[in-house]
Amino acid sequence: MTTVEKTRLYLDRIAEKAALNAFLEVYPDEALAQAAEVDRRIAAGQAGPLAGKVVGVKDVISHAGHKLTAGSKMLQGYTAPYSATAVERLLAADAVIIGRQNCDEFAMGSSNENSAYGPALNAADESRVPGGSSGGSAVALQADLCDLSLGSDTGGSVRQPAAFTGTYGLKPTYGRISRWGLVAYGSSFDCIGPLGKSLEDLALLLEVLAGADEHDSTSSSQPTAPYRAQLAATPERPLRFGILRQALDAGDDALHPTVRTALTQKMEALKAAGHSVEVYDFPLLDYILPTYYILTMAEASSNLSRYDGVRYGYRTPNPANLEDMYKRTRAEGFGREVKRRILLGNFVLSADYYDAYFTKAQRVRRLIQQANDQLLQRFDALLTPVAPGPAWQLGQKRTNPIEMFLADIFTVQANLTGQPAVAFPAGQADGLPIGLQLMGHPFQEGALLQAARVVEGV
Ligand code: GLN
């Protein structure tokens, strides 16, 4: 099949599956023109590594000349003036970008229900959420609307929707992929991450996207690696897996029994295959979510102060004066969850509470990082669930933010520490996809993907 034929096929499927609301916009003419150019390059033997691949991009990643809304009314009508480094690298590798994908507003959420443009739906059961915040990016793969997606992961937003849709997602090491052009949520946590239909897809995308970038001072200059070749190789020795005791011991209300069974079956199979599997304890587990939410809300309240009605997107009509314009623009432009986080973020950063919340949370983050470093001395990778259960019903957790936050218990650790983590399918619970997660060593994504291949294969 030529790239043009494939692009047409995907455009047709996106139209057919419009009810899933995975894409907020598609670029038919541009995608077909790019596909024709890619086919010419393939014929001329000059094709880049993503030639023939059709990619969707989460609507928080800038693509010059294209709309960028971050799932928010606040950025309605805003056009990105420049491209994210990740998008430039996609295009330089001969990808076809087919459209921008639905997500929670400013990437805040775990269900895609916080999108100002309506939720994306889980293709396995349309009464259920696809996970979030990169819900559209995951559903697009689940429903076969494109080959690969680009998401972002601040606390699990690539991995959890991957698990809810039976697809694959990688949160690389913090700084491995440039954040230039990514709409900021919690800048010390944010990572652009690939989603795909296989571990090979993740390795391929990472190979294209990884590497230093002068536009992002937090991007790492650590050398990148041939991730696909590393994934294809077999480990030279048996691997050492750690399994979280708290996950094994959790009651049925905290962890779906089928998720626990998936974990214990893998544990036994890995042992039988000659790998070492040891249960580890993480006493700081209870502090992970409060630390994550205090710090990300603080960073978000600062990052989102730029949306003032002056410089970007939405501005309230007919304000009485400047202050009224600021207030009404922000009151009308932001949704409930984003407002809640801005308020809480400002609270934990306020003079009277700064030390009690923000400074303390930073200290706890350091303790979590130290505990994690010690664990990584004993293990090649840590195996946990991605989420406590499969996708829930639309509306089920919407009115209870704490319950929604609790669903992130297994994913936020890797964002607090900065280490890479991969989510891969691990069967079904109640007829819905579930996933397992492996967390690995910083800047060792190749070894992590290889370990995931081992876990998948046993
Ligand atoms: N659910 C988490 C949150 O709402 C993670 C979001 C993300 O990774 N962007 O913050």
Side-chain angles (χ1 to χ4, degrees):
M1 202 187 327
T2 65
T3 314
V4 168
E5 286 165 349
K6 194 192 216 182
T7 304
R8 276 218 182 88
L9 208 73
Y10 279 140
L11 287 167
D12 288 348
R13 280 191 65 79
I14 292 171
E16 204 179 297
K17 299 278 178 189
L20 293 175
N21 205 15
F23 281 88
L24 295 177
E25 190 185 356
V26 281
Y27 319 128
D29 298 343
E30 188 185 349
L32 286 168
Q34 166 76 357
E37 173 61 22
V38 170
D39 283 333
R40 270 193 293 279
R41 293 176 63 80
I42 293 174
Q46 297 167 330
L50 291 181
K53 299 288 186 192
V54 177
V55 186
V57 176
K58 183 180 181 180
D59 190 23
V60 290
I61 300 172
S62 307
H63 185 182
H66 296 75
K67 293 208 173 71
L68 176 69
T69 71
S72 180
K73 183 179 168 190
M74 188 56 103
L75 284 174
Q76 215 167 39
Y78 175 74
T79 299
Y82 63 92
S83 281
T85 301
V87 165
E88 275 176 2
R89 290 189 182 183
L90 286 182
L91 293 172
D94 288 335
V96 170
I97 298 184
I98 196 164
R100 66 189 163 88
Q101 295 164 326
N102 200 356
C103 59
D104 281 302
E105 184 175 11
F106 288 101
M108 297 177 191
S110 312
S111 67
N112 212 147
E113 291 163 292
N114 296 333
S115 168
Y117 306 97
L121 307 180
N122 195 310
D125 172 352
E126 293 182 18
S127 70
R128 290 180 187 263
V129 302
S133 62
S134 315
S137 308
V139 171
L141 300 174
Q142 179 189 29
D144 201 21
L145 311 181
C146 57
D147 292 313
L148 305 163
S149 297
L150 220 54
S152 69
D153 192 311
T154 303
S157 279
V158 159
R159 291 161 285 156
Q160 184 255 25
F164 281 12
T165 56
T167 60
Y168 294 76
L170 173 69
K171 184 206 91 72
T173 312
Y174 181 80
R176 183 66 301 175
I177 296 176
S178 169
R179 288 185 296 119
W180 173 254
L182 169 68
V183 174
Y185 162 17
S187 306
S188 77
F189 298 80
D190 295 341
C191 291
I192 289 179
L195 292 106
K197 300 173 187 172
S198 67
L199 292 171
E200 281 77 12
D201 283 351
L202 302 182
L204 169 64
L205 266 178
L206 186 64
E207 223 168 279
V208 168
L209 299 171
D213 176 16
E214 60 173 3
H215 293 306
D216 173 6
S217 62
T218 61
S219 74
S220 171
S221 53
Q222 292 253 0
T224 60
Y227 302 109
R228 278 178 292 176
Q230 290 180 337
L231 171 61
T234 0
E236 284 159 15
R237 53 169 175 81
L239 297 175
R240 299 165 305 164
F241 291 97
I243 305 222
L244 179 65
R245 183 189 59 73
Q246 283 96 331
L248 295 174
D249 289 357
D252 288 357
D253 48 334
L255 189 72
H256 192 292
T258 310
V259 176
R260 192 182 316 108
T261 308
L263 203 56
T264 46
Q265 277 175 353
K266 284 296 177 194
M267 200 169 143
E268 294 313 318
L270 285 168
K271 277 186 203 159
H275 299 283
S276 114
V277 183
E278 204 185 305
V279 176
Y280 71 88
D281 199 58
F282 202 73
L284 293 169
L285 192 69
D286 286 348
Y287 300 96
I288 281 187
L289 283 172
T291 306
Y292 167 80
Y293 275 101
I294 287 172
L295 292 175
T296 51
M297 288 184 195
E299 293 188 21
S301 69
S302 162
N303 274 326
L304 271 60
S305 64
R306 75 190 69 181
Y307 304 105
D308 55 6
V310 178
R311 288 166 294 179
Y312 302 91
Y314 180 74
R315 178 184 301 170
T316 192
N318 312 315
N321 52 43
L322 183 65
E323 191 178 320
D324 187 48
M325 195 269 286
Y326 289 149
K327 282 186 179 162
R328 280 172 41 197
T329 293
R330 288 169 68 80
E332 293 159 17
F334 289 134
R336 274 179 75 84
E337 183 62 23
V338 172
K339 281 184 202 162
R340 178 174 16 244
R341 295 189 189 200
I342 291 173
L343 290 173
L344 285 167
N346 277 305
F347 174 77
V348 301
L349 289 174
S350 59
D352 284 349
Y353 296 100
Y354 192 91
D355 283 340
Y357 292 105
F358 185 68
T359 309
K360 175 143 315 154
Q362 280 186 308
R363 291 206 182 112
V364 179
R365 183 180 195 180
R366 174 50 54 95
L367 290 176
I368 291 167
Q369 286 166 335
Q370 283 167 352
N372 191 69
D373 285 349
Q374 281 175 0
L375 276 180
L376 290 181
Q377 288 174 9
R378 290 163 52 202
F379 299 113
D380 295 305
L382 309 175
L383 182 62
T384 73
V386 177
W392 54 83
Q393 293 282 341
L394 286 155
Q396 195 182 324
K397 294 187 200 282
R398 256 215 104 168
T399 48
N400 188 341
I402 299 286
E403 223 189 282
M404 186 89 83
F405 296 168
L406 283 174
D408 296 337
I409 178 85
F410 300 116
T411 48
V412 299
Q413 181 176 338
N415 302 82
L416 283 162
T417 62
Q419 75 201 114
V422 62
F424 49 94
Q428 295 199 327
D430 305 335
L432 297 160
I434 54 169
L436 288 175
Q437 168 178 253
L438 273 185
M439 293 185 278
H441 290 248
F443 299 104
Q444 303 294 319
E445 282 84 358
L448 178 65
L449 292 170
Q450 200 183 62
R453 161 68 21 98
V454 167
V455 178
E456 253 199 342
V458 292

